[in-house]
Amino acid sequence: MSLTSSLLSRVLHGASCTREELIALRREPLEELCRSANTIRKHFCGNVFDLCTIINGRSGRCSENCKYCAQSAHYSTAVEEYPLLSDEALLAGARYNENKGILRYSIVTSGKRLTDADVDQLCASYKNIAARCGISLCASHGLQTLEELKALKEAGVTRFHANLETSRRYFPQMCTTHTYEDKVTNIQRARAAGLEVCSGGILGMGESWEDRLDLAVSLAELEISSIPLNLLRPIPGTPYEGMEPISNEDVLRTVAFFRYINPTAWIRMAAGRGQVP
């Protein structure tokens, strides 16, 4: 029996795999690996889509220095800059996506954290959307206090988005203005506020296979049920502008990798998904 088949049987029966076995999966035949990962997906998640969308609720002038991001004030990019969108604009986006059959609508804002005025304005917007639409609401607003997260929940938000982005080891290579522990603590606060959590990462930032494994394991340890995987889109003006895209084979292997480690999670292909045919 191949390693892929052996680990498949173990995962389907609720058993765990060792780090060495999981790393070895990257050398297994791609077709068999993808087929087995799909078997895990069918077994635990069925044959349904869980669709979500985001709206850029505030753009640009972010204080953080994440090397992949066009919205960082540390870099010179062509990103459009604007303040928090109005209630009307955010409601219009929610209605449009609900009419398209989208299940969840996430408002994303640039910046490390919200001001008190930001929290008040966004809570009013979430309440307005919740009163007029049936679409589920997700929030992505950087590092927040427990009180702010509770206020978002009371306003109608059910899920909080906070990507870990990469492994604990590689994180300082990507960002130095906040830490991996800041991210983890933020996720724990969201849980304490009664919110579901969506958290994933970006592939193709120069990380190793071990970094991808550690990210997948960290997400499993945090019991994350929604995992978006983004493919780096190198943006002119950022430190990663010259980064070569990872191969489609590496993308497929990584998705399979995550499925073995997070068998019951919704693994979402997010930014850059059009790269893979």
Side-chain angles (χ1 to χ4, degrees):
M1 179 183 292
S2 68
L3 176 63
T4 299
S5 298
S6 176
L7 297 190
L8 169 62
S9 177
R10 205 181 304 173
V11 170
L12 292 177
H13 287 88
S16 59
C17 308
T18 68
R19 179 184 178 84
E20 292 72 23
E21 288 170 332
L22 291 167
I23 280 291
L25 279 178
R26 64 178 291 239
R27 297 187 293 271
E28 291 294 288
L30 179 62
E31 184 175 349
E32 182 186 5
L33 180 61
C34 290
R35 186 170 58 249
S36 295
N38 197 41
T39 298
I40 296 171
R41 189 266 307 165
K42 287 181 179 179
H43 180 81
F44 289 105
C45 301
N47 284 320
V48 295
F49 283 101
D50 187 56
L51 301 176
C52 61
T53 190
I54 66 173
I55 185 170
N56 195 3
R58 177 174 62 200
S59 181
R61 306 307 301 170
C62 181
S63 63
E64 306 309 280
N65 66 355
C66 305
K67 292 181 179 179
Y68 58 83
C69 188
Q71 298 196 48
S72 172
H74 294 259
Y75 316 126
S76 179
T77 68
V79 70
E80 181 182 4
E81 297 179 9
Y82 52 82
L84 280 175
L85 295 178
S86 67
D87 280 359
E88 293 75 16
L90 293 172
L91 175 60
R95 282 176 166 162
Y96 172 83
N97 283 284
E98 183 176 30
N99 290 337
K100 293 292 184 180
I102 304 301
L103 305 176
R104 186 173 294 275
Y105 179 67
S106 179
I107 301 174
V108 182
T109 52
S110 64
K112 185 174 186 175
R113 62 182 77 253
L114 299 175
T115 65
D116 290 345
D118 291 338
V119 174
D120 290 343
Q121 183 176 339
L122 282 164
C123 283
S125 293
Y126 284 121
K127 288 178 182 177
N128 188 40
I129 295 169
R132 291 166 171 77
C133 299
I135 197 167
S136 296
L137 296 175
C138 178
S140 183
H141 306 306
L143 305 179
Q144 297 196 249
T145 66
L146 179 60
E147 291 71 24
E148 290 169 347
L149 292 162
K150 287 180 177 178
L152 289 174
K153 186 175 189 299
E154 290 173 3
V157 173
T158 58
R159 181 177 289 173
F160 187 73
H161 175 258
N163 275 352
L164 290 181
E165 307 300 8
T166 188
S167 70
R168 185 186 303 272
R169 176 178 53 253
Y170 194 71
F171 192 91
Q173 303 299 314
M174 182 207 74
C175 177
T176 59
T177 49
H178 60 274
T179 68
Y180 190 89
E181 278 306 317
D182 289 334
K183 295 272 195 179
V184 171
T185 302
N186 204 40
I187 288 172
Q188 292 169 337
R189 280 196 295 264
R191 281 265 174 73
L195 293 164
E196 300 172 15
V197 177
C198 175
S199 182
I202 304 174
L203 309 176
M205 298 189 294
E207 75 283 351
S208 67
W209 279 98
E210 286 77 7
D211 290 317
R212 295 174 194 170
L213 168 64
D214 288 345
L215 172 60
V217 169
S218 291
L219 294 169
E221 289 173 345
L222 288 166
E223 299 181 334
I224 302 299
S225 60
S226 174
I227 302 177
L229 293 180
N230 304 273
L231 308 183
L232 178 71
R233 313 314 291 166
I235 298 169
T238 66
Y240 286 162
E241 65 178 335
M243 193 73 74
E244 287 293 322
I246 65 173
S247 68
N248 287 344
E249 178 173 331
D250 276 1
V251 174
L252 293 173
R253 286 189 181 279
T254 303
V255 173
F257 205 56
F258 270 72
R259 177 53 69 197
Y260 267 79
I261 299 168
N262 301 273
T264 63
W266 293 99
I267 298 178
R268 307 176 182 277
M269 294 309 297
R273 60 190 177 275
Q275 171 186 318
V276 184

